[in-house]
């Protein structure tokens, strides 16, 4: 712990790193505000009362840009000055937030709202890629710098969302006009992020011109090569299959929880119920991060993943079927523990089983697979779940899927 504290202090001693970190924190705080405002607009706004299909479409807008734009972002980030990318992208996002707020205030929905959201979150993916690409220009200590930047950025997103929920509850925000004002709250952090990025000299964040750039066609060819490499490595294939099943199950449970929270909570309090489930999931995630390394040392990767999936499937079924607020929150903690434990093991398996010269391409495939399978599950669940999300058969099916996957892993070549 003493060494970790020293590392953080040494990182923060660098002006460039501090400024880039502040840019990230401001931008991702704005992301949290925007995500909470859109969730309130689509899910908990009594003037809209979106059906499950609209909710699933909203998640698609949130997540698909991260999968579809991410692998190609580097093509342009290796050509354009990243300082200018950060400044102009956050200024663009500020303007787009204004457009989105006008659409919300005017009661617009459907295609206009989805397109505005799609552009906004595509730009967000570009900003995050630019921040990562710029990091080596601010510090040589990349491992701790990445850990601090990505973790604190994720925390900033959660804090931004929590701040938006707190404002919504304190101000009694409801209706299109109220959620439009909440949406506008993201403009301030985005403007601050643009101002912080503008403080760098024009060429300070690269690219420096020494790296070989790729074309979009080469990116596609690299993804294909990554898929072929995984097919030739059975442990890697099993790992991706496990995470795909988890994300499919997670998508179904996410939509069921959101719909249940909206139906079960008093008017205007739905976001608080969702926040309780998210907080429980965060606790489960933290506990899994602590427990998994020791469990893998004692049991091995395959046995630990098998135990997580089997026990998690049983507990999720037992806690989910009653559809009571307290059991849904507890199920969120179980799901957070299961998901994080599985993710740690999948990441480690891919890092061991995949050759270093194709690892980046395999992880790009991994990223796309994780988000696309999640969105696919949301879309399918939108047509199968009732409006209040209460579906014991769906919960039982999810539990069975986890248990069957556990049986597969127990007989698989998953790296031990």
């Amino acid at each position: 712990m003493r060494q970790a504290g020293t590392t953080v202090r040494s990182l923060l001693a660098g002006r460039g790193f501090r400024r880039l970190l502040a840019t990230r924190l401001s931008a991702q705080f704005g992301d949290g505000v925007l995500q909470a405002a859109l969730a309130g607009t689509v899910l908990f706004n009594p003037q809209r009362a979106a059906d499950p299909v609209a909710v699933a479409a909203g998640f698609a807008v949130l997540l698909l840009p991260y999968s579809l734009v991410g692998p190609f972002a580097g093509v342009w980030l290796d050509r354009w000055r990243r300082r200018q990318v950060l400044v102009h992208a956050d200024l663009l996002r500020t303007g787009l937030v204004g457009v989105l707020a006008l659409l919300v205030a005017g009661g617009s929905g459907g295609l206009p709202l989805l397109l505005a959201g799609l552009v906004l979150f595509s730009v967000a993916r570009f900003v995050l890629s630019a921040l990562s690409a710029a990091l080596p220009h601010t510090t040589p200590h990349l491992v701790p710098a990445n850990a601090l930047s990505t973790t604190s950025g994720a925390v900033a997103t959660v804090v931004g969302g929590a701040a938006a929920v707190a404002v919504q509850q304190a101000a009694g925000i409801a209706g299109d006009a109220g959620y439009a004002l909440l949406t506008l709250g993201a403009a301030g952090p985005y403007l601050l992020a643009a101002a912080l990025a503008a403080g760098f000299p024009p060429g300070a964040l690269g690219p420096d011109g020494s790296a070989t750039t790729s074309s979009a066609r080469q990116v596609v060819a690299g993804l294909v090569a990554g898929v072929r490499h995984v097919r030739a490595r059975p442990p890697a294939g099993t790992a991706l299959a496990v995470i795909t099943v988890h994300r499919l199950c997670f998508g179904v449970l996410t939509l069921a929880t959101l719909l249940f929270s909206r139906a079960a909570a008093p008017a205007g309090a739905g976001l608080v119920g969702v926040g309780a489930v998210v907080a429980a999931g965060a606790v489960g995630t933290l506990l899994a991060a602590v427990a998994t390394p020791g469990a893998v040392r004692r049991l091995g990767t395959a046995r630990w993943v098998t135990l997580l999936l089997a026990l998690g499937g049983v507990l999720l079924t037992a806690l989910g079927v009653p559809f009571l607020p307290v059991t849904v929150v507890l199920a969120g903690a179980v799901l957070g523990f299961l998901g994080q434990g599985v993710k740690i093991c999948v990441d480690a398996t891919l890092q061991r089983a995949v050759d270093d010269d194709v690892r980046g391409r395999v992880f790009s495939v991994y990223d796309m697979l994780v988000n696309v399978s999640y969105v696919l599950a949301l879309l399918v669940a939108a047509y199968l779940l009732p409006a209040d999300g209460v579906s014991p058969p769906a919960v039982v099916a999810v539990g069975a899927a986890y248990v069957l996957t556990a049986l597969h892993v127990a007989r698989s070549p998953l790296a031990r």
Side-chain angles (χ1 to χ4, degrees), residues 40-63:
T41 299
V42 175
L43 272 171
F44 305 111
N45 183 353
Q47 291 181 236
R48 291 177 183 264
D51 61 24
V53 176
V55 175
F59 270 96
V61 167
L62 267 173
L63 295 173

Side-chain angles (χ1 to χ4, degrees), residues 116-172:
L118 179 64
V119 175
L120 249 171
F121 286 103
S122 295
V123 176
R125 173 69 261 181
F126 210 61
V127 167
L128 291 177
S129 296
L131 287 165
S132 296
L135 189 63
H137 292 267
T138 64
T139 178
H141 308 294
L142 295 182
V143 173
N146 271 298
L148 177 60
S149 296
T150 56
T151 302
S152 59
V155 170
T157 301
V158 173
V159 171
V165 172
V167 169
Q168 185 260 342
Q169 291 295 303

